[in-house]
Amino acid sequence: MREKVIEQYFVAEVKKLGGLAVKINSTSMRGLPDRMVLLPHGILFFAECKAPGKGARTLQKFVHQKLRVLGFRVYVIDSKEQVKEVLKHEVSAARIPKNSHQKAT
């Protein structure tokens, strides 16, 4: 399976949750993750999609660690199963307000 297939699946699954998986194309900072994910209730994290069995490159690992030190969560995802695990973890770990049925304005 190619990286593109996993990334497309990831974007579709985030959309099903009512979120955005914004593609990051930075000309000023190399090594940033592929996607910045914004989910309802203020959930924000970063995701780097890879082909199965492939890991982050050295520069990417360095940048991911900088983001983690700043308090952001960064995931390297290389399978559809991992997409499901990450999204389940992020949604279940979120402190969703009791009035979660209200839409943001």
Side-chain angles (χ1 to χ4, degrees), residues 18-70:
L20 301 170
V22 179
K23 181 78 172 172
I24 300 175
N25 290 317
S26 177
T27 57
S28 62
M29 185 175 184
R30 295 179 61 177
L32 284 171
D34 295 322
R35 300 279 174 170
M36 177 177 63
V37 181
L38 308 164
L39 293 175
H41 308 292
I43 300 169
L44 183 144
F45 64 94
F46 294 91
E48 178 70 42
C49 295
K50 293 290 184 185
K54 300 290 182 182
R57 296 184 317 257
T58 302
L59 179 59
Q60 290 172 321
K61 289 178 185 178
F62 176 78
V63 173
H64 295 177
Q65 185 57 29
K66 285 182 108 174
L67 292 171
R68 288 180 180 116
V69 166
L70 291 170

